[in-house]
Amino acid sequence: MWHSSSLVFSYYYFNGNAFRDDEASINKKLPKELLLRIFSFLDVVSLCRCAQVSKAWNVLALDGSNWQRIDLFAFQKDVEGPVIENISRRCGGFLRKLSLRGCQSVGDGSMKTLALLCQNIEDLNVNDCKKISDTICTALSRHCHKLQRLNLDGCPLITDKSLKALSDGCVNLTTINISWCSNITENGVEALARGCPKLTCFIAKGCEQITSRGVICLARYCSNLEVMNLMGCGTIRDEAVQALAERCPKLHYLCLSSCSALTDASLLALAQYSTMLSTLEVAGCAQFTDAGFLALARSCRYLEKMDLDGCVLITDATLIHLAMGCPRIEYLTLSHCELITDEGIRHLSMSPCAAENLTILELDNCPLVTDASLEYLTSCHNLQRIELYDCQLITRAGIKRLRNYLPMIKVHAYFAPVTPPPMGSTARSRYCRCCAIL
C-alpha cells in the first residue's frame, strides 16, 4: 500500500496542472475514504506539503484521522507552544502517539491544552523537554486515562508530585521512563507502584534518590514487570534485587550497572527465580564473583546479552560457566575484567554460543589477553565486532590473522606510539598519543 500510494503522489506532485485544480482526476476517480487511506501512510512533512496542493487536499491532509501518530523530533528546534496547541485542536481524540523528543521550547501551557483536547493519547514522549514540570503529569492524570507509555527522560523539573498524580489518574500505565529526573525519590516510586499495577517497564537511569524501598514497592505491586533499568541508582541493595527476582517472574531485561553495593546475593536470587532473563547489565558491580555467575549460568539459559564491564573479581571460571550454561549469548562485554586470560577465551570460543550466536565481544583493558585469544576466536563465524582498546599484548599481526578468517569483522583497537627514553638533558620531540583506529 505504501508503495502504491507513493507512486500516486509522485505522479500528481510532478504534474503541476493535475493537482492545482480541486477537480483533478484523482479527486474525481477515487472516493474520499480511499484518499484518506492513502494519506494515512504519509509522514508529517509529506502531509504538510500535500495540504498546500489544493483546498481538497488540504482538507484531506489535515483530517485528524491522519494524525494519530506524530513524531516532531526532526523539527525539534522549531517546535514551540502554539504548534502543539494547533496540533491538539486538529487531532483531538484521534491522536494516539506523540513524540516531542528534544523539543526544549515546549512548556506546560501547551501541554495542558494537549491533555485537555487529546484525551485518547496512549503514548507520549517528552524526552529532554527541559521546561516540562509536574503540571503536565497533573493534566495527564485528569484527562488522559488511556495513557500507557510515558517518557520523561531528562526532564529535570519532574518530582515525586508527578508520579503521585499519575498513580491517581493513569492506572493503565505500562511503561514509564524517569531517567535523570534527579528530584524523584522512593516516595514517588512507591506511589506510582501502588496506583499503576499494570507496569511492565520501569526505567530510572541516574535517579540516585531511588532506594531499595522504592524498588521493593515496585516488586510488591507490579508483578508483571518485564524490563527494569536502575543504572546509577547506587543505593540499591541486595534485598531490592531479591524482591524483584522473587515477585516478578516475567523479568527478562535487568540493568543494575553502577549499583556498586550489590553482592553475589543478588546474582543468586536471580539464578533462583529469574530464569527468563535475556539481558543482564551489571557494569561496575565490582563485588560480583565467579560464584554468583556460576549459579546464574546454571539457571538462566536464555541469556543473550551480558555486560560485565568492570566486574574486576571474575576470572576465567566465569567464562567457562557461561560457555557451558548459556548457549544463546550474542553480546558479551568483559572490558576491565583484568583477570580474564586466553584460557577463558579458549573455553568461550569452543562453546555452542560462540559458534552459533556470538556477534559482539568487548575486551577493552584486559591486560592478560594475547593474540592467542584471537586465534581461538576464528571459530566464531558470526562474530561481527570485537573491542580491544588498551589490550597491550594484542598485536597488529594477530588482528590481521583474525581478519583472514573473519574478513567482515570490525576490530576496534589502538596502538599508542612508542615514546623513546630521554637522552641526557637534550630536549626530545613530543610524540602524538592519539589512537590508531583499525
Side-chain angles (χ1 to χ4, degrees):
M1 176 63 74
W2 166 253
H3 178 68
S4 61
S5 64
S6 61
L7 287 177
V8 170
F9 282 111
S10 294
Y11 174 80
Y12 283 95
Y13 191 83
F14 289 107
N15 288 271
N17 294 329
F19 62 78
R20 274 198 289 266
D21 183 4
D22 284 352
E23 298 304 315
S25 58
I26 188 174
N27 299 329
K28 292 180 178 179
K29 293 183 178 180
L30 295 181
K32 177 183 176 182
E33 292 77 14
L34 182 54
L35 285 170
L36 276 174
R37 177 63 173 165
I38 296 173
F39 272 97
S40 71
F41 287 89
L42 301 180
D43 58 24
V44 172
V45 176
S46 300
L47 284 171
C48 291
R49 287 174 177 169
C50 289
Q52 301 176 51
V53 169
S54 68
K55 292 180 180 179
W57 278 30
N58 181 275
V59 172
L60 291 170
L62 297 182
D63 189 278
S65 62
N66 291 322
W67 296 75
Q68 297 183 41
R69 295 171 177 81
I70 303 174
D71 187 348
L72 297 181
F73 179 69
F75 312 94
Q76 53 179 317
K77 294 182 180 179
D78 300 320
V79 176
E80 296 184 353
V83 175
I84 304 303
E85 293 169 14
N86 288 335
I87 288 176
S88 302
R89 295 187 184 98
R90 173 63 62 180
C91 299
F94 285 107
L95 188 62
R96 296 293 187 274
K97 181 177 181 179
L98 175 64
S99 175
L100 300 175
R101 179 167 59 106
C103 299
Q104 297 191 27
S105 297
V106 174
D108 288 335
S110 55
M111 295 306 297
K112 287 173 66 177
T113 301
L114 175 79
L116 179 62
L117 298 179
C118 304
Q119 298 188 13
N120 291 321
I121 194 165
E122 299 172 358
D123 189 328
L124 179 61
N125 184 347
V126 290
N127 173 209
D128 209 29
C129 294
K130 304 296 186 184
K131 295 183 179 180
I132 296 296
S133 74
D134 294 327
T135 302
I136 178 183
C137 291
T138 302
L140 291 171
S141 175
R142 289 175 180 169
H143 305 294
C144 303
H145 305 306
K146 295 183 180 180
L147 188 66
Q148 297 178 23
R149 293 172 291 278
L150 179 61
N151 189 342
L152 297 168
D153 183 353
C155 296
L157 302 181
I158 295 296
T159 71
D160 289 340
K161 184 178 178 180
S162 285
L163 299 192
K164 292 175 181 177
L166 292 170
S167 69
D168 292 333
C170 299
V171 297
N172 291 308
L173 203 63
T174 61
T175 301
I176 188 166
N177 187 340
I178 54 171
S179 297
W180 313 110
C181 296
S182 57
N183 293 314
I184 287 180
T185 73
E186 71 272 10
N187 295 326
V189 174
E190 181 174 357
L192 183 75
R194 290 178 182 272
C196 301
K198 296 181 182 179
L199 276 181
T200 60
C201 176
F202 181 82
I203 303 174
K205 295 183 288 185
C207 294
E208 297 180 353
Q209 295 194 65
I210 295 180
T211 65
S212 293
R213 193 186 97 196
V215 177
I216 291 171
C217 284
L218 282 169
R220 180 179 303 160
Y221 297 107
C222 305
S223 59
N224 290 317
L225 278 169
E226 299 176 10
V227 175
M228 175 72 79
N229 192 325
L230 299 170
M231 186 192 82
C233 300
T235 61
I236 301 297
R237 298 292 189 272
D238 290 326
E239 57 265 25
V241 180
Q242 290 167 344
L244 281 174
E246 291 176 13
R247 294 177 177 269
C248 303
K250 298 179 182 179
L251 194 66
H252 63 81
Y253 177 103
L254 180 60
C255 178
L256 300 169
S257 295
S258 299
C259 296
S260 56
L262 299 179
T263 71
D264 280 345
S266 290
L267 296 182
L268 295 175
L270 293 171
Q272 183 175 357
Y273 299 105
S274 300
T275 56
M276 301 305 293
L277 270 183
S278 61
T279 297
L280 179 64
E281 299 177 1
V282 291
C285 295
Q287 297 189 61
F288 289 168
T289 71
D290 293 329
F293 288 110
L294 167 60
L296 202 70
R298 285 176 174 171
S299 301
C300 300
R301 298 186 59 81
Y302 296 103
L303 279 168
E304 296 177 356
K305 178 180 179 180
M306 295 187 73
D307 185 351
L308 311 185
D309 187 336
C311 295
V312 295
L313 297 181
I314 65 172
T315 69
D316 292 337
T318 287
L319 293 190
I320 294 172
H321 302 326
L322 294 178
M324 292 188 298
C326 302
R328 299 191 180 193
I329 290 182
E330 299 177 6
Y331 188 125
L332 181 61
T333 298
L334 299 168
S335 299
H336 299 91
C337 298
E338 297 184 353
L339 301 180
I340 297 296
T341 73
D342 294 331
E343 184 64 11
I345 302 299
R346 183 179 73 84
H347 281 277
L348 180 68
S349 66
M350 296 169 58
S351 68
C353 80
E356 301 297 330
N357 298 314
L358 189 64
T359 58
I360 297 175
L361 179 62
E362 298 183 353
L363 296 170
D364 299 338
N365 293 92
C366 291
L368 302 181
V369 171
T370 74
D371 286 349
S373 287
L374 303 187
E375 292 281 356
Y376 299 139
L377 292 172
T378 57
S379 62
C380 303
H381 304 298
N382 291 312
L383 195 60
Q384 298 175 8
R385 176 165 64 85
I386 185 169
E387 304 280 341
L388 297 168
Y389 289 113
D390 208 27
C391 293
Q392 300 293 330
L393 300 180
I394 296 292
T395 68
R396 294 178 185 272
I399 292 174
K400 183 177 181 180
R401 285 193 294 271
L402 176 65
R403 281 188 165 147
N404 288 337
Y405 288 92
L406 304 173
M408 302 303 293
I409 193 171
K410 294 180 180 179
V411 181
H412 295 168
Y414 74 86
F415 298 91
V418 176
T419 302
M423 295 181 295
S425 60
T426 305
R428 60 185 175 85
S429 301
R430 293 189 177 185
Y431 285 77
C432 175
R433 296 179 179 272
C434 295
C435 301
I437 306 297
L438 300 181

